[in-house]
Amino acid sequence: MKKFLALLLTIVMTVSMTVCVGSAETSDEQIVLEYWSSWSETENQALVLKAAAESFMEKHPNVKINFTFNGRDNRKLVVSAIEAGTQIDLMDANIDNVQKLWSENIKDLSEYMTKTYDTTDGKPYNECVIPSMVQLASDLFDGKTMCVPYIPQAFMIFCNKNIFEEVGITEYPTTWDEFLADCEKIKAAGYTPITTDSNYATSWVGYYLSRLIGTDRVAELVYDSAAFKSEPAVLEAAKAIEEMAQKGYFDANIASNVYPVAQQDMVISENIAMYINGTWLPNEVSSTTSDTYKWGAFAFPEVPNGVEGTEAGCYSTYAIAINKDCDDATTEAAFEFIVYITTGEVDQTFCDQANAIPMSVTASWPENLADAQVALNAYTKRYPSQTALIVNSDSKTIIAEACLKLMAGTITAEEFVEEAGSF
């Protein structure tokens, strides 16, 4: 009996050791992550991603990361590729496109947001990144975190700070009267106060109208031609922009500016003071911008009798999602890579090499976005990209063309209302 028990104990120990060894081998199983990205392969953001993946894989030898860089068409390619059986584990796009196009294909990541990771200094991940971006991701998906923001973006008025300083503008305008006074100073000094182009044509009318009656009301108007034409605030906003055109505040070539002519002219001529654009602007024109050029930025000012002020603005972000079909091990590795690129050194590298807004609350912003940081941090109400004036694809082109004519001074405010409202 003693010999039998001894033999039985030996068998049990051997089986136990076999199980433990098997578990260890399973935990070291190779994980291959296929990442489909909205960046083009030569863009700075893509270069940072590839370098980050190399360093991540060195720290995690059991993880292999492959990239497919599709450019902006990525948003349209992912779902059909997944349905065709293509392995895609991570994918990124503008967060609004993630919500509109990928909601049925991505995984709820809420539980991972409150965990700690190697680069979060012992804190939950959601406490280490910009709160407004975390909230945005939650708001778009009814309280769930279905994607993780990275490389935030925002719209505002960008300016040549050298011109502002030369003409004696020491503080950014917060009211419409202050803004018009600054435009007059800039024009009197021989500079062009404002430019825009075909891509951003709706911004001036859109912001003014949104300030006046609120973004929700603007969104209603662009789906109802009769309401658009009969809304008194539309004419009021048009008259404000008409006045700017009559005073010569807009670029003389504004009607024919085709993107990216205006932004290149702004930095090459150094004669244009302001342009409503996104926080990506300094990076997009960096190769043609002189070393002495100083970027400034500020929120669109309050307007007389308006219902919304400088707390409201267009802001968004790219976001990374994980395929809902990923198993737990793949999801954990994928999320850990997301944390790796949105905190610590890699997050700062996005900022330094791609002039991107960092996600981490402790990161340092690019010098040319320092003023933009102030404006974005003050935003508490979100406008759609370029305001709600363009949310209806059936009316936005008609409205945009009318906006350019209004700023060029070739139509009156009354004519704008009729032309822009004919959709």
Side-chain angles (χ1 to χ4, degrees), residues 210-212 214-216 302-303 306-312 381 383:
S210 298
R211 292 282 192 261
L212 195 57
T215 186
D216 294 339
E302 298 176 0
V303 304
V307 299
E308 293 173 352
T310 55
E311 78 287 348
K381 183 175 180 61
Y383 286 172

Side-chain angles (χ1 to χ4, degrees), residues 208-231:
Y208 196 101
L209 187 58
S210 298
R211 292 282 192 261
L212 195 57
I213 58 176
T215 186
D216 294 339
R217 177 59 178 156
V218 176
E220 293 173 356
L221 294 177
V222 298
Y223 286 95
D224 187 334
S225 176
F228 186 96
K229 290 182 179 180
S230 62
E231 169 60 63

Side-chain angles (χ1 to χ4, degrees), residues 104-159:
E104 300 301 316
N105 301 90
I106 58 180
K107 176 172 285 194
D108 183 358
L109 304 173
S110 302
E111 65 178 286
Y112 298 93
M113 294 291 291
T114 56
K115 295 181 179 180
T116 61
Y117 299 87
D118 290 344
T119 54
T120 61
D121 295 325
K123 297 179 181 178
Y125 172 68
N126 62 355
E127 294 182 8
C128 298
V129 288
I130 300 175
S132 62
M133 295 298 136
V134 175
Q135 188 63 47
L136 174 59
S138 176
D139 290 344
L140 287 176
F141 294 93
D142 298 324
K144 297 179 181 179
T145 300
M146 304 294 292
C147 58
V148 181
Y150 88 124
I151 308 182
Q153 304 165 333
F155 266 77
M156 58 193 69
I157 300 174
F158 278 83
C159 67

